[in-house]
Amino acid sequence: MKLAGWTMAAAGLALVGSPVLAASLNGKERARVARAAPHDRDDVRYCLLQAKKGRDKGTVIGAAGGAGVGALAGGSLGESLLAGAAGAVAGRVIGKSEGTNSACDRVLARNP
């Protein structure tokens, strides 16, 4: 295998092992928490953080998986990067829906 392939595979493994950083909410999400019913505010904050962690984790895993598959399939550096980008988009979409459970879905639907 080419050196670039091994490098891409190592980079993919490093991305999968890295921690996902999603510890804070943005301004729009903080406003949503503030608009929520007082008894639901903690639940809304928790559910928004969980959804954000799911999106971020899906993005990292998708990018690493796509780049790894591209590298192992013998693609060039550009092809591996393109596969990583496509994997990141797909992982973000999948992680967005998988980050919360049905209880969070109900809380977030009650507090738009």
Side-chain angles (χ1 to χ4, degrees):
M1 182 182 279
K2 300 177 197 172
L3 178 62
W6 285 107
T7 305
M8 289 302 295
L13 289 174
L15 282 175
V16 170
S18 67
V20 178
L21 301 173
S24 64
L25 299 174
N26 63 26
K28 187 177 178 182
E29 292 167 336
R30 285 193 302 268
R32 186 174 181 182
V33 171
R35 283 192 315 263
H39 65 277
D40 279 344
R41 286 189 181 143
D42 289 335
D43 293 335
V44 170
R45 178 178 288 113
Y46 172 78
C47 290
L48 289 173
L49 284 172
Q50 290 303 107
K52 188 175 229 183
K53 286 179 186 177
R55 285 190 311 261
D56 292 348
K57 186 176 180 181
T59 302
V60 170
I61 292 171
V69 168
L72 292 175
S76 67
L77 181 63
E79 292 168 341
S80 295
L81 291 175
L82 186 60
V89 171
R92 186 166 181 87
V93 170
I94 293 168
K96 187 177 187 179
S97 65
E98 297 297 319
T100 59
N101 57 19
S102 60
C104 279
D105 292 340
R106 286 191 301 273
V107 168
L108 293 175
R110 272 196 317 259
N111 299 288

